[in-house]
Amino acid sequence: MEAERRASAESVKALAARLVAIAAIFVLAILIEVRGGASYSDREVTALYALVLAGFLLSLAYAALAAHGGFPRRHLVELVGDGSLITGLVYCSGGSASLFEFLYIVWIVHAAVTTGERGALLS
């Protein structure tokens, strides 16, 4: 019983951290659009908004999976979703010159902590 409660608290913390990160990216997207930076096209800014929306929707899906509790490959779904979002963010923000490339390292460390070495290798 105590282990389930601890796991639930960890899920809530992870969801909250994920939502804060997505909200920060959303604020950055708004600042980019408001400042009118010439370095990003309208298509890239629109793609960034789509990524933010996808991130919020994925967070809701992750929360539903965590609430269900019986889905054995939940962490794998999260890793694939997070990796896809990071790849989209890096692509939208300049590819190999992106400021957000470091998120791949964070993603791999997160995979190692949540799923062990198999998840880190898969990432």
Side-chain angles (χ1 to χ4, degrees):
M1 186 70 161
E2 183 65 29
E4 288 179 21
R5 189 175 309 135
R6 198 172 315 132
S8 176
E10 289 298 319
S11 291
V12 169
K13 287 179 186 177
L15 177 64
R18 181 175 279 122
L19 289 175
V20 167
I22 293 169
I25 292 168
F26 181 62
V27 168
L28 285 173
I30 290 174
L31 288 175
I32 287 170
E33 190 170 8
V34 168
R35 292 189 63 175
S39 61
Y40 295 106
S41 68
D42 288 338
R43 192 175 106 192
E44 289 171 326
V45 173
T46 302
L48 190 57
Y49 282 126
L51 278 170
V52 169
L53 178 62
F56 279 119
L57 292 175
L58 275 175
S59 294
L60 290 174
Y62 298 160
L65 286 174
H68 185 275
F71 190 66
R73 304 218 188 262
R74 185 187 86 205
H75 293 296
L76 179 63
V77 171
E78 288 182 14
L79 288 177
V80 170
D82 290 346
S84 299
L85 287 175
I86 291 170
T87 300
L89 179 62
V90 168
Y91 177 76
C92 286
S93 61
S96 63
S98 174
L99 295 171
F100 299 106
E101 284 184 331
F102 75 93
L103 290 176
Y104 284 116
I105 296 170
V106 174
W107 177 54
I108 293 169
V109 170
H110 174 70
V113 170
T114 57
T115 61
E117 68 181 55
R118 267 189 165 170
L121 287 172
L122 179 66
S123 297

